[in-house]
Amino acid sequence: MKRIDIIYGGQLFSVGGRTPEDLTREITQAVADHGGWLTVNDGEGERREALLFIGPGVPIAVVPIPDPPETAAGRA
């Protein structure tokens, strides 16, 4: 998995080093707890940490971005 994009409040954020299952589990738990904070990356280029408040009724989209497929030229 290359990364996971998060669309929140019309803005694009991302998460790396996690699986979609782990991330959706964390979001589900935050909603069940009536709110919680999700740490994501903001911006392109230099990484900046951002905290998104996740709770009941807060729209959020989780978009897994897979690794690019290997090309014939990229194989050893």
Side-chain angles (χ1 to χ4, degrees), residues 2 18-19 36 39 56 58:
K2 183 175 179 182
R18 312 249 332 251
T19 67
T39 303
V58 175

Side-chain angles (χ1 to χ4, degrees), residues 51-76:
L51 297 169
L52 306 180
F53 185 78
I54 307 298
V58 175
I60 183 171
V62 175
V63 184
I65 307 297
D67 290 323
E70 289 187 45
T71 62
R75 293 186 196 136

Side-chain angles (χ1 to χ4, degrees), residues 5-32:
D5 282 350
I6 304 290
I7 302 170
Y8 180 94
Q11 299 294 317
L12 181 64
F13 302 91
S14 66
V15 175
R18 312 249 332 251
T19 67
E21 295 78 18
D22 287 341
L23 185 60
T24 55
R25 194 174 306 118
E26 184 177 344
I27 291 168
T28 300
Q29 187 61 55
V31 171

